[in-house]
Amino acid sequence: TKRAKEVGVKKVMGAYRFQLTTQFLTEIFIQCFVATILSLIVAELLLPAFNNLFQINLTIWHIGNALIWQLPLILCLITLVAGIYPALVLSGFKPALVLKGNFSTSKQSSWLRNGLLVFQFSIAVVFIIGLFIINSQLKYMRSEDPGFTANQVVYIKNLTLFNKPDKFTPVREKILKIPGIKSATVATDIPNGDKNGTNGYTVNGTSANIDFIDIDFDYFQTLDIKLKNGRFFSPAFKTDTANSAIINESAVAKYGLQNPVGQTIRGCNIDYKIVGVVKDFKAQGFENAVQPTIYAIKNPCGNSKIQLMLKIEQNKMTEALAALKAQWPQINPLDGEDFRYEFLDELYGKLFKKQEQLQSVFFAAALLTIFIALLGLFAFAKYITNGRIKEIAVRKILGASDVQIFKLINSSFFVMVVVANIISWPVAYILTKKWLETFAYRIDLPLLPFVSSALITILLTIITVSIQAKKAVKANPVDALKYE
């Protein structure tokens, strides 16, 4: 709008509105073109971190990249979006008004500016609230007890089938001779988020499909799973390898059992006797509810027991793993020298990977949207302040203090940021509530992120506007009024 007189002179000299519109769009196109070059440089610099975060391998410069035709299209689209309105407004100025010096922007354009600023801050507030709530859910997931201990448990990849206990017993004995190894077990599944097999089981005439996991002795002790009633499997009880079963709390609730220990549960043509009840543990993470599960050593309908797990003392972990690797051909001849292992806590930690990625994306998006909103705020504050220099000078002459003037300038921006928060809160509430509903175990939607987002945006607004207004407030009123 500072170029109003330029437009007026050009129109007087015979320039058409189309020519002026083309001129302004060309100027904006050049700005956007430079921005595109800079964005490609920034994208190239950030790409390694992006690929590392999402475990992918994207590249910008390769044959057949769709960016070759997409970038020019994006460039033209952004030029039109950013430039068409100001170009039409500038080219539409009336020469008689602007050359007389009494030109002023319309109420319509001020509403547009205010609306855009409110829109920018609304997006920023949504991302800030989202970031706070994602952080809270992740903190809850990391601090909440999953019901078992994955630390110091090593999962060994194995090819040998250990469906019968007597086949695994000699292997266990050899493993336990290695110093530092406290327990060893084998099962069809490990608690790493994978789904278990399901089968139909009947208790007291009530039939239901529940999960089953075929295990061996010391399974619960290795994972430090808590016993609620009854006992664990033990070699001292010969029936444990024939027809004993342990169920979890969810299975007790599923069948509505009052005193489950000692009752019979039938499945796979076997009448199992329930010898114990274990507490529920989150083997499939926090997104899925704990499923009703039965644990048995003998299960004709089950899968192959090939998942080995060892509990190793923390201070002897390195020596124990080295000894296992050296002795593995003798311990497990089928695998031979192919000794492969993973730490169970790392496997279970992968269940949080998606949320950690989302947290990183929201952090970057929140910073970016705040930065863009502050850029717009800074430019808007400069524009408004420059338009009120004479007003500020008159107020200072009449005795207004610096604090009063700062308050005057900040008041309109304060209102806009408050409006942005009011608009964005319902949107953020709906989006975060939907996201939290994807978790079976989650936090209650807190109020603090909403209050914090308002405080952060208001504080940043006051600082940004005050920095820009400082020059006008500290200026000598004579300089602003000397032409009057």
Side-chain angles (χ1 to χ4, degrees), residues 198-201 207-211 254-255 292:
T198 59
N199 205 351
Y201 291 87
S207 299
N209 284 329
I210 62 173
D211 287 9
K254 182 84 171 179
Y255 290 105

Side-chain angles (χ1 to χ4, degrees), residues 161-192:
L161 305 182
F162 294 112
N163 289 343
K164 294 182 179 180
D166 56 357
K167 189 172 184 179
F168 183 65
T169 299
V171 174
R172 178 193 285 110
E173 290 174 352
K174 292 177 184 177
I175 291 174
L176 293 178
K177 288 179 181 178
I178 297 174
I181 298 179
K182 296 191 288 187
S183 63
T185 190
V186 66
T188 55
D189 298 279
I190 62 173
N192 65 344

Side-chain angles (χ1 to χ4, degrees), residues 120-189:
Q120 282 182 324
F121 269 98
S122 296
I123 295 173
V125 168
V126 169
F127 277 107
I128 293 170
I129 294 171
L131 178 62
F132 278 128
I133 291 175
I134 290 171
N135 286 342
S136 298
Q137 177 64 16
L138 271 174
K139 184 178 179 181
Y140 163 77
M141 289 164 62
R142 292 192 186 105
S143 61
E144 183 72 6
D145 181 16
F148 71 100
T149 303
N151 294 335
Q152 303 172 38
V153 177
V154 174
Y155 157 63
I156 298 178
K157 298 179 180 180
N158 161 66
L159 298 175
T160 308
L161 305 182
F162 294 112
N163 289 343
K164 294 182 179 180
D166 56 357
K167 189 172 184 179
F168 183 65
T169 299
V171 174
R172 178 193 285 110
E173 290 174 352
K174 292 177 184 177
I175 291 174
L176 293 178
K177 288 179 181 178
I178 297 174
I181 298 179
K182 296 191 288 187
S183 63
T185 190
V186 66
T188 55
D189 298 279

Side-chain angles (χ1 to χ4, degrees), residues 23 29 65 168 171 278 352 469 474:
Q23 174 200 339
F29 176 83
N65 194 341
F168 183 65
V171 174
V278 293
F352 302 155
K474 295 298 182 182

Side-chain angles (χ1 to χ4, degrees), residues 33 36 40 59-76:
F33 180 77
T36 303
L40 282 170
T59 56
I60 296 177
W61 313 109
H62 64 87
I63 298 173
N65 194 341
L67 279 177
I68 293 172
W69 62 266
Q70 288 175 343
L71 268 182
L73 186 65
I74 292 168
L75 176 60
C76 294

